[in-house]
């Protein structure tokens, strides 16, 4: 059974159904979209169940069909452990976001809102599954279209500016990458399979400079997407203007394509250049960690604040990818998943608050812990996950990145660890401003979290807590990917410096 | 002194009790799970639990204590050298070269903590039932209290630095939630945040220490790290030691991260008693003692532990002399007493034992005095102003007597508990090191004893003796039994625990297998001289306080005072220093970065985009046609792609 094609096509079918509905009211569109996304989720979970953990480092569920033979393009898909995790993340977040945006759009344009989100889901699943570089590129660019329209049509007051800015940045990165994609094809073996990623891995480039330039082009596109300092400035605008559900998919999943690309394309395709570029990349990533944290502290707008925390978190992920140790890379891959949940939860609670207050200004809130304790508690829990509180999921990933990095780049790890303190500041300052203090008049008639909102938050909270205590199932499918990637870049883990000490198994007394 | 105890093994255990003790030990995770379940049930259960939820929390806390007793008994049945057991729970973080299992370490040190924490916590749970009776959020309060107990037990039972870290942050979270329990008061909310941030700075140290450990030893379990010390350089171990100390300073409110503890008194008084006096704030001492072998191999770091302890000891004592807020005075005293423990923890294996000994007795008498303070507040309309009390001994007899027991214990008057623990620390300080060091450290500890006597007597006399200075609307009365019974039990501990544990070296023998054999050196002065000097200073402190705060008239408002008094009232300007050094510069940095990000980084990118194609500028005009602007940018994109492809082909 072609699992990946099926799972990728399901949302598209759902989108078609949404648009073809005879009724012009919002309700059938919502229900259809939710059902389609739930079926997709079930199919994804079934696929995950059939995934062979022991060979998580190799691609499974592969399919390959000729697409444009004379140009070497195939429809080739397949997933390793990381691809699986990212697809599960997408399939899980989409129904949650649909439910969160249930009353976002009324009337006949609801069809467009829900249809576009389903189209976006197809592209997201596709981009994580693509095993043909050209296919990857096409989906990488195609993702922009639904997001552009979702922000531009359904966003906040400055939605058009934000949508255009988002598009310009992304196109710029995409175009630079496209040139590199085509050049890479020319450098590669060519033929009818010339764009297959497997064919392009381990190439001998005509010159060292060629490899490095190609790396830079790919990295530039992924850095914009990730988003890294200094090409991050589109994100706060886009995230603040997008509807909350779209912001979750944008920051939680779409941006991960950047770090996903670094880990699964930059490193394997250009190992020499990756090692060459590591110092600069790490420097940029450390700046992202601290800069994003400081900027988050200084924001007056709740959504922009959350967007800047993501700049900081993506800095951690990039550090983990380029530290080139197995624990740091596993941590980075796990971070991609955890960040989707914790930041997603933050955006969604923010959306619930904004829907009540009609403002995203942090200063417009206050004293909400008394009037709406459930919303306050959920915000705090999501925030604690964002600041990587031990016991919650993000801690494991952030900790692995830091610990794994220290062995090779102690300075980077120590400086980046400063991001921990900044994280405590931006979360707790915001909580203090919005939720503590005397009860304000504006909140007197507020209802606390309703059933629909509870259904939106419950799965996220459950995952955040569960993965904090028991991350093993996810790490088991991510570890082989990290091992394979390290092999591809010809790096090995640094050995413990204390002489004669092996990496011991735990739990034994001397 | 170093002889191994042989009398503790009471007969040969038969197969049944062996099996039973094994079962008790294997289920030690229940200690954490029971209160954790309580917290979850109370938080998720909603309003329907309001009527009896607090009793569930009380029951779960006591059941954790009961399990602790069984655990203690089962360990006691084993030979002293076998009283350490690592309990594997599950594979926690398997990630490449980093492999870590969740596991518990049952040994004399952790079990001593378990007993103290669960016992004091359970008493305070009972006390809180009455103290929080009229609070609409009592259920939430008890959920947080149970969360605290679970985290604290995880902290002391963990067998690796990372699992300890989970408990470490868990207690920090509970502390944050409980300090800010009445966060509709903005000052209280700020105090809660301040505590978390100061602790986070300490956590940075703990994180870095763990990073160095993993890079050095390839493992982060106690057993793995402490058994591999020989392979590491002294520089590395010093770095680990200093970073661990930073973590300990945050959690235990030691200099220079002490500033949060005074503000933390914003929490309900039972919280101050449990978290900010008896248990959580002593976690830093636990960390240093647990990591003892690291400090023994890194003398510089060990010396710094002593210095931090000595500075904090004096700092807290000076601040305690000037505070008119009964809770803040007690908080300063806590800081100072933990300074004693920290100092002792820097004195090697003998010091570890007395550090933990003092930690246990302090847990009793300080918790007792905090509960006493809560009882006074309960009777005085929640006033904390010492200048508004006086002569409460008549109307609050139980509170007065139990507080008196704590007061005599902290003074170190024989035969009260503190005498056995604190005097030993002073003696050990006089006995450790070469040259001037024992004289210097010993003198600081000695002077601290005098200061302690002064400020504690001041507090005691101002509250219970002298003249009535009550506000007109005050009708002081004794607290209900639910509150006084825990106070009485803690007072019994304040009186007798020290003597009981010191008798026949019981505690020393119990702890030695875990902390290493203690070689007691002879102090530079004869022990009898030190004891005499200590008692003389204590007597002087009491006398001075008696003259000024019992016999003399005490003004209702604080007199201007000399510069030192003013400084002490202002916590030696700790907040002002932090304000100038950290907050103002931080705010300036943040603001300027926000400005730069909007104008600079973003502007640069926008500017270059405009320069390349004039696209940004034109798009702004075309924004009226939304779909058109998309079409335009796509067209531009396609043209660029074609050009790019052609360029490659050429």
């Amino acid at each position: 059974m072609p699992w990946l094609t099926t799972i990728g096509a399901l949302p598209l079918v759902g989108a078609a159904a949404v648009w073809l509905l005879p009724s012009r009211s919002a309700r059938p569109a919502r229900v259809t979209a939710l059902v389609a996304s739930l079926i997709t989720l079930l199919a994804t979970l079934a696929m995950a169940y059939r995934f062979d953990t022991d060979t998580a480092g190799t691609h499974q569920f592969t399919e390959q069909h000729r697409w444009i033979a004379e140009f070497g393009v195939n429809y080739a898909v397949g997933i390793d452990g990381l691809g699986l995790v990212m697809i599960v993340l997408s399939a899980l977040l989409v129904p949650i976001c649909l439910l969160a945006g249930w009353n976002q759009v009324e009337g006949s344009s609801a069809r467009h809102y829900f249809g576009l989100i389903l189209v976006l889901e197809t592209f997201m699943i596709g981009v994580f599954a693509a095993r043909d570089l050209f296919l990857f590129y096409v989906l990488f660019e195609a993702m922009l279209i639904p997001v552009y329209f979702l922000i531009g049509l359904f966003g906040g007051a400055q939605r058009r500016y934000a949508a255009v800015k988002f598009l310009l940045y992304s196109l710029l990165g995409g175009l630079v990458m496209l040139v590199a994609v085509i050049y890479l094809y020319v450098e590669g073996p060519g033929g009818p399979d010339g764009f297959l990623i497997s064919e392009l891995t381990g190439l001998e480039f005509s010159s060292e400079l060629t490899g490095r330039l190609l790396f830079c082009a790919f990295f530039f596109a992924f850095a914009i997407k990730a988003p890294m300092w200094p090409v991050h400035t589109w994100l706060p605008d886009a995230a603040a203007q997008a509807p909350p559900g779209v912001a979750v998919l944008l920051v939680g999943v779409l941006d991960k394509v950047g770090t996903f690309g670094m880990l699964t394309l930059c490193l394997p395709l250009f190992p020499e250049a990756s090692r060459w570029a590591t110092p600069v990349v790490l420097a940029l990533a450390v700046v992202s960690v601290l800069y994003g944290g400081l900027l988050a502290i200084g924001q007056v707008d709740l959504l922009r604040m959350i967007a800047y925390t993501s700049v900081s978190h993506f800095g951690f992920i990039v550090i983990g990818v380029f530290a080139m140790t197995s624990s740091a890379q596993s941590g980075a891959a796990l971070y991609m998943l955890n960040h989707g949940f914790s930041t997603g939860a933050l955006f969604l609670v923010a959306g619930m608050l904004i829907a009540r207050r009609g403002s995203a200004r942090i200063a417009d809130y206050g004293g909400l812990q008394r009037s709406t304790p459930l919303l306050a508690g959920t915000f705090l829990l999501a925030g604690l996950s964002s600041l990587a509180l031990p016991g919650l999921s993000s801690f494991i990933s952030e900790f692995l990145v830091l610990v794994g990095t220290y062995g090779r780049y102690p300075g980077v790890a120590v400086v980046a660890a400063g991001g921990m303190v900044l994280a405590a500041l931006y979360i707790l300052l915001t909580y203090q401003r919005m939720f503590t203090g005397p009860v304000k008049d504006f909140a007197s008639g507020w209802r606390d979290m309703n059933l629909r909102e509870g259904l939106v938050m419950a799965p996220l909270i459950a995952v955040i807590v569960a993965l904090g205590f028991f991350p093993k199932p996810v790490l088991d499918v991510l570890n082989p990917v990290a091992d394979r990637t390290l092999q591809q870049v010809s790096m090995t883990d640094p050995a413990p410096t204390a002489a004669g000490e092996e990496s011991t198994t735990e739990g034994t007394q001397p | 002194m170093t002889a191994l105890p042989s009398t503790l093994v009471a007969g040969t255990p038969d197969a049944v009790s062996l099996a039973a003790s094994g079962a008790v030990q294997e289920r030690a995770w229940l200690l954490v799970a029971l209160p954790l379940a309580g917290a979850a049930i109370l938080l998720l259960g909603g309003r329907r639990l309001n009527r009896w939820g607090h009793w569930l929390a009380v029951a779960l806390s006591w059941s954790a204590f009961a399990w602790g007793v069984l655990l203690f008994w089962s360990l006691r049945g084993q030979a002293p050298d076998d009283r350490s057991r690592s309990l594997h729970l599950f594979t926690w973080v398997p990630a490449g070269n980093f492999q870590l299992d969740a596991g518990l370490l049952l040994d004399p040190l952790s079990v001593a903590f378990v007993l103290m924490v669960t016992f004091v916590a359970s008493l305070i749970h009972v006390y809180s039932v009455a103290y929080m009776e009229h609070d609409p959020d009592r259920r939430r309060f008890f959920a947080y209290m149970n969360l605290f107990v679970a985290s604290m037990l995880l902290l002391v039972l963990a067998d690796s630095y990372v699992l300890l870290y989970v408990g470490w942050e868990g207690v920090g979270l509970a502390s944050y939630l409980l300090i800010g329990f009445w966060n509709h008061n903005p000052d209280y909310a700020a105090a809660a945040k301040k505590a978390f941030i100061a602790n986070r700075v300490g956590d940075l140290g703990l994180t870095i220490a763990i990073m160095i450990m993993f890079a050095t030893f390839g493992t982060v379990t106690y057993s793995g790290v402490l058994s591999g010390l020989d392979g590491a350089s002294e520089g590395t171990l010093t770095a680990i030691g200093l970073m661990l100390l930073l973590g300990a300073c945050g959690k235990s409110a030691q200099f220079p991260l002490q500033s949060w503890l005074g503000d933390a008194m914003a929490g309900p008084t039972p919280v101050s008693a449990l978290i900010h006096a008896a248990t959580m704030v002593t976690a830093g001492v636990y960390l240093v003692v647990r990591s003892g072998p690291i400090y023994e191999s890194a003398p510089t770091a060990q010396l710094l532990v002593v210095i931090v302890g000595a500075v904090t000891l004096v700092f807290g004592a000076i601040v305690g002399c000037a505070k008119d807020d009964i809770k803040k005075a007690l908080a300063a005293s806590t800081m100072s007493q933990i300074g004693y423990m920290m100092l002792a923890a820097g004195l090697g294996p003998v010091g570890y034992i007395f550090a933990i000994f003092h930690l246990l007795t302090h847990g009793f008498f300080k918790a007792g005095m905090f509960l006493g303070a809560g009882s006074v507040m309960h009777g005085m309309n929640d006033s904390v102003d010492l200048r508004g009390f006086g002569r409460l001994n008549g109307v609050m007899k139980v509170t007065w007597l139990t507080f008196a027991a704590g007061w005599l214990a902290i003074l170190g008057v024989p035969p009260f508990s503190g005498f056995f623990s604190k005097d030993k620390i002073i003696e050990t300080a006089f006995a450790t090191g070469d040259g001037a060091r024992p004289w210097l450290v010993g003198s600081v500890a000695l002077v601290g004893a005098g200061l302690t006597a002064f400020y504690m007597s001041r507090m005691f006399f101002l509250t219970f003796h002298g003249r009535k200075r009550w506000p007109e609307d005050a009708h002081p009365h004794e607290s209900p039994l639910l509150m006084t019974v825990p106070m009485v039990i803690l007072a019994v501990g304040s009186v007798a625990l020290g003597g009981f544990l010191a008798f026949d070296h019981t505690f020393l023998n119990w702890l030695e297998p875990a902390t290493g054999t203690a070689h007691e050196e002879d102090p530079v002065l004869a022990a009898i001289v030190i004891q005499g000097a200590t008692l003389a200073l204590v007597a002087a402190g009491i006398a001075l306080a008696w003259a000024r705060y019992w016999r003399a008239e005490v003004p209702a408002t604080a007199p201007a005072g000399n510069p030192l008094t003013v400084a002490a009232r202002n916590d030696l300007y700790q907040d002002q220093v932090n304000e100038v050094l950290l907050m103002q510069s931080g705010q300036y940095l943040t603001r300027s970065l926000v400005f730069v990000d909007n104008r600079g980084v973003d502007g640069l990118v926008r500017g270059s985009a405009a320069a390349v194609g004039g696209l940004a500028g034109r798009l702004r005009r075309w924004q009226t046609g939304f779909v058109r602007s998309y079409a335009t940018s796509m067209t531009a994109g396609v043209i660029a792609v074609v050009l790019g492809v052609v360029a490659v082909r050429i």
Side-chain angles (χ1 to χ4, degrees):
Chain A
M1 179 178 166
W3 281 95
L4 286 167
T5 303
T6 311
I7 289 170
L10 279 171
L12 212 53
V13 174
V18 167
W19 266 306
L20 292 175
L21 280 175
S23 163
R24 288 280 176 253
S25 68
R27 192 174 165 77
R30 292 168 187 160
V31 175
T32 313
L34 185 63
V35 169
S37 69
L38 287 175
I39 294 174
T40 311
L41 174 61
L42 284 178
T44 308
L45 293 178
M47 178 177 75
Y49 180 73
R50 297 172 65 94
F51 187 84
D52 180 12
T53 306
D54 294 336
T55 57
T58 55
H59 288 84
Q60 307 179 20
F61 304 109
T62 50
E63 300 166 43
Q64 190 180 337
H65 306 285
R66 289 261 180 276
W67 186 11
I68 316 173
E70 52 276 23
F71 207 48
V73 179
N74 279 279
Y75 171 82
V77 291
I79 46 169
D80 58 7
L82 180 58
L84 174 73
V85 166
M86 296 314 293
I87 289 179
V88 170
L89 173 68
S90 319
L92 201 63
L93 284 182
V94 167
I96 290 174
C97 292
L98 289 176
L99 206 55
W102 203 246
N103 304 321
Q104 180 81 32
V105 189
E106 295 293 344
S108 59
S109 57
R111 289 181 304 145
H112 302 312
Y113 180 79
F114 290 100
L116 282 169
I117 287 187
L118 287 178
V119 171
L120 178 60
E121 182 174 16
T122 291
F123 291 155
M124 292 190 304
I125 291 171
V127 82
F128 291 123
R131 292 304 298 154
D132 180 286
L133 196 56
F134 195 84
L135 179 65
F136 175 84
Y137 174 76
V138 168
L139 292 164
F140 184 81
E141 295 287 49
M143 288 192 311
L144 305 180
I145 303 167
V147 175
Y148 173 81
F149 284 103
L150 281 167
I151 297 177
L153 293 175
F154 304 105
Q158 291 180 293
R159 54 185 180 273
R160 293 188 173 169
Y161 169 73
V164 171
K165 192 171 176 182
F166 162 75
L167 190 72
L168 280 181
Y169 269 79
S170 303
L171 277 181
L172 179 66
L175 292 179
V176 172
M177 186 169 93
L178 179 61
V179 174
V181 165
I182 294 168
Y183 199 93
L184 189 63
Y185 173 72
V186 176
E187 285 271 314
D193 292 336
F195 270 114
L196 282 188
I197 293 172
S198 52
E199 294 283 311
L200 297 169
T201 308
L203 286 184
E204 287 287 332
F205 294 110
S206 48
S207 73
E208 209 173 59
L209 183 66
T210 310
R212 290 177 178 179
L213 284 175
L214 290 174
F215 169 87
C216 288
F218 272 85
F219 184 80
F220 179 65
F222 294 144
I224 289 181
K225 188 120 296 194
M228 282 180 78
W229 185 87
V231 286
H232 63 278
T233 55
W234 65 269
L235 181 75
D237 286 316
Q241 296 302 321
V246 177
V248 173
L249 294 179
L250 177 67
V251 181
V253 184
L254 244 73
D255 289 355
K256 302 291 163 47
V257 180
T259 46
F260 178 83
M262 291 178 198
L263 191 62
T264 58
L265 291 176
C266 280
L267 264 53
L269 297 183
F270 317 106
E272 190 277 336
S274 299
R275 295 193 300 269
W276 162 77
T278 295
V280 177
V281 173
L282 286 178
L284 290 176
V286 170
V287 171
S288 290
V289 168
L290 301 180
Y291 189 89
L294 285 168
L295 265 288
I297 295 171
Q299 294 306 307
V300 293
D301 181 293
L302 178 58
L303 295 170
R304 290 180 71 88
M305 189 282 284
I306 303 174
Y308 276 107
T309 69
S310 286
V311 174
S312 185
H313 291 152
F314 275 102
F316 276 112
I317 301 178
V318 175
I319 290 174
V321 170
F322 279 85
M324 312 250 187
T325 66
S326 56
S327 43
Q329 285 192 344
S330 288
L334 183 63
Y335 211 138
M336 292 187 211
L337 178 72
N338 289 336
H339 171 266
F341 294 128
S342 58
T343 304
L346 271 182
F347 267 122
L348 292 173
V349 188
M352 294 169 194
L353 293 165
I354 293 167
R356 286 168 170 76
R357 184 75 176 102
S359 162
R361 274 173 52 84
I362 293 172
D364 286 344
Y365 294 82
L368 287 178
Q369 202 252 316
R370 290 269 144 181
S371 41
T372 52
L374 277 178
L375 282 171
T378 316
F379 184 93
L380 185 62
L381 199 71
L384 291 173
S385 176
S386 180
L387 66 77
L389 187 88
L392 301 178
S393 59
S394 308
F395 166 69
I396 309 276
S397 34
E398 192 164 306
F399 178 78
L400 280 175
V401 166
L402 289 174
V403 163
T405 304
Y406 186 88
R408 183 159 282 133
Y409 303 102
V412 170
V414 169
V415 176
M420 285 172 41
V421 179
L422 298 179
L425 274 167
Y426 58 64
I427 293 296
L428 296 184
L429 266 174
T430 309
Y431 185 82
Q432 185 188 348
R433 287 171 186 159
M434 295 180 64
F435 295 95
T436 70
V439 178
K440 301 270 177 71
D441 290 338
F442 66 79
S444 56
W446 283 22
R447 272 192 65 185
D448 205 351
M449 201 178 262
N450 60 32
L451 179 66
R452 176 180 62 80
E453 290 167 333
L455 283 175
V456 168
M457 298 311 299
L460 292 175
I461 302 292
V463 173
I464 285 172
V465 173
L467 285 185
F469 277 96
F470 198 57
K472 183 173 181 294
V474 183
L475 282 170
D476 280 345
V477 299
L478 293 176
N479 284 327
V481 180
D483 291 341
R484 186 201 69 213
T485 311
L486 280 187
Q487 252 175 17
Q488 286 167 330
V489 288
S490 325
M491 296 291 273
T492 50
D493 286 326
T497 54
E501 267 291 310
E502 295 293 305
S503 186
T504 51
T505 45
E506 317 302 325
T508 48
Q509 276 294 98
Chain B
M1 188 56 87
T2 59
L4 286 174
S6 52
T7 51
L8 285 177
V9 189
T12 316
D14 58 14
V16 177
S17 79
L18 247 184
S21 72
V24 166
Q25 291 172 11
E26 269 155 28
R27 286 170 188 72
W29 52 267
L30 277 172
L31 281 167
V32 181
L34 288 171
L36 192 63
I41 293 170
L42 290 186
L43 283 178
L44 298 175
R47 293 197 190 92
R48 77 202 81 153
L49 301 188
N50 275 0
R51 266 192 311 128
W52 50 271
H54 46 279
W55 288 115
L56 177 74
V58 171
L60 286 170
S61 182
W62 279 113
S63 56
F65 171 69
W67 205 267
V69 171
L70 291 177
L71 196 61
F72 165 72
W73 213 253
S74 77
L75 275 191
R76 198 172 167 276
Q78 288 160 323
D81 287 338
D82 296 335
R83 284 183 195 148
S84 172
R85 174 157 182 201
S86 214
L87 197 68
H88 174 263
L89 294 181
F90 58 92
T91 306
W92 185 29
V93 190
N97 56 339
F98 184 90
Q99 298 287 330
L100 180 63
D101 292 353
L104 303 181
L105 174 62
L106 312 176
D107 75 347
L109 179 59
S110 60
V111 171
F113 261 90
V114 165
L115 287 179
M116 192 274 276
V117 168
T118 51
F119 186 65
V120 174
S122 301
L123 287 176
I124 293 176
H125 270 74
V126 173
Y127 177 95
S128 306
V129 170
Y131 192 86
M132 300 298 287
E133 190 172 2
H134 302 295
D135 196 291
D137 286 325
R138 180 164 65 167
R139 175 174 55 86
R140 196 159 54 84
F141 177 86
F142 276 91
Y144 295 162
M145 291 288 272
N146 262 6
L147 174 68
F148 171 77
V149 174
S151 307
M152 189 71 205
L153 291 175
L154 183 63
L155 191 164
V156 296
L157 283 169
D159 76 341
S160 69
Y161 283 95
V162 180
L163 196 61
L164 166 131
Y165 193 7
V166 175
W168 187 268
E169 290 271 290
V171 293
L173 172 66
S175 161
Y176 168 79
L177 294 169
L178 286 164
I179 295 171
F181 189 72
W182 290 319
N183 64 21
H184 46 273
N185 180 333
D187 288 344
Y188 292 7
K193 185 199 65 198
K194 183 179 178 183
F196 198 99
I197 304 293
N199 271 290
R200 196 72 171 174
V201 175
D203 296 345
L204 189 61
L206 187 53
T207 308
I208 294 173
I210 296 175
M211 297 195 295
I212 307 176
M213 283 177 198
F214 178 65
T216 311
F217 307 107
T219 171
V220 292
T221 58
Y222 299 142
S223 57
V225 170
L226 301 181
S227 66
L229 293 179
D230 293 343
S233 68
E234 191 184 316
T236 307
L237 294 179
T238 305
I240 296 176
L242 292 181
M243 289 297 118
L244 287 177
L245 178 62
L246 181 61
C249 285
K251 194 61 67 190
S252 290
Q254 298 292 290
F255 185 83
L257 295 177
Q258 79 289 351
S259 69
W260 63 271
L261 187 61
D263 292 3
M265 295 301 119
T269 306
V271 172
S272 313
L274 177 59
I275 302 182
H276 305 118
T279 55
M280 182 190 86
V281 283
T282 61
V285 180
Y286 171 78
L287 181 68
V288 172
V289 170
R290 185 55 91 188
S291 312
I294 296 177
Y295 288 99
E296 285 154 42
S297 311
T300 314
Q302 196 177 33
L303 179 62
L304 209 68
V305 173
V306 174
I307 293 174
V308 163
V311 169
T312 314
L313 184 175
V314 176
F315 192 116
I318 291 176
V319 171
C321 291
K323 287 286 178 188
D324 288 334
D325 175 325
I326 186 170
K327 286 184 72 181
K328 294 208 171 175
L330 279 171
S333 153
T334 303
M335 216 173 103
S336 173
Q337 294 300 310
I338 298 173
Y340 269 109
M341 300 171 208
M342 200 56 94
L343 185 152
L347 298 177
V350 190
Y352 304 154
I353 291 178
F354 296 124
I356 300 297
F357 192 0
H358 194 52
L359 193 157
L360 295 185
T361 56
H362 175 260
F364 277 79
F365 60 69
K366 186 56 68 63
M369 283 192 284
F370 258 114
L371 294 189
S375 177
V376 169
M377 289 163 62
H378 198 72
M380 296 291 286
N381 300 335
D382 285 331
S383 166
V384 288
D385 185 13
L386 286 170
R387 293 182 185 273
F389 298 157
R391 187 153 292 199
L392 286 169
N393 57 345
V395 281
M396 306 180 81
K397 281 215 164 53
V398 180
T399 305
W400 170 56
L401 286 172
T402 55
F403 203 101
W407 167 60
L408 292 169
I410 196 174
L411 259 49
V413 174
F416 290 84
S417 284
F419 168 74
F420 296 96
S421 52
K422 195 164 79 177
D423 274 29
K424 276 296 184 184
I425 293 180
I426 299 173
E427 270 179 45
T428 313
F430 271 110
T432 311
D434 309 313
R437 187 179 144 182
W439 290 99
L440 215 58
V441 179
S443 309
V444 170
L446 193 60
V447 170
L451 285 171
T452 307
F454 172 72
Y455 71 75
M456 286 310 298
S457 306
R458 169 180 180 271
M459 181 194 307
F460 184 67
F461 297 153
L462 280 176
T463 308
F464 295 103
H465 296 285
R467 292 177 188 80
K468 281 184 196 173
R469 301 177 301 276
W470 307 345
E472 284 177 14
D473 57 344
H475 307 286
H477 52 86
E478 187 54 278
S479 299
L481 277 179
L482 274 178
M483 288 168 69
T484 50
V485 170
M487 285 155 58
V488 170
I489 296 174
L490 287 172
V492 171
S494 310
V495 174
L497 183 71
F500 175 72
L501 291 180
F503 180 71
D504 200 21
H505 305 304
T506 308
F507 188 67
L508 189 139
N509 291 337
W510 170 255
L511 212 54
E512 230 175 16
T515 53
T517 310
H519 296 284
E520 219 169 342
E521 307 276 336
D522 284 330
V524 288
L525 280 168
I528 189 81
V529 177
I530 298 174
Q531 279 177 16
T534 310
L535 285 177
L537 277 171
V538 167
I542 299 174
L544 187 58
W546 175 77
R548 291 186 55 182
Y549 300 105
W550 185 337
R551 212 188 43 170
E553 188 76 38
V554 177
T557 50
N562 59 36
L564 180 65
T565 315
V566 177
R569 273 183 205 143
N570 287 300
D571 301 297
L572 302 181
Y573 302 114
Q574 59 185 11
D575 291 332
Q576 286 79 353
V577 170
N578 287 347
E579 171 86 25
V580 171
L581 278 185
L582 302 173
M583 285 161 74
Q584 281 178 5
S585 49
Q587 280 169 358
Y588 181 74
L589 176 68
T590 307
R591 281 200 201 116
S592 43
L593 278 182
V594 171
F595 180 81
V596 168
D597 197 60
N598 289 339
R599 301 290 154 78
V601 180
D602 198 19
L604 199 69
V605 179
R606 269 188 293 184
S608 58
V612 168
L615 204 55
R618 278 180 212 167
L619 275 169
R620 213 166 294 137
R621 263 177 279 147
W622 289 341
Q623 269 176 22
T624 41
F626 170 61
V627 178
R628 186 146 41 114
S629 75
Y630 175 75
T632 313
S633 29
M634 278 316 282
T635 315
V638 172
I639 292 170
V641 170
V642 172
L643 285 177
V645 173
V646 170
V648 171
R649 279 292 157 91
I650 292 165

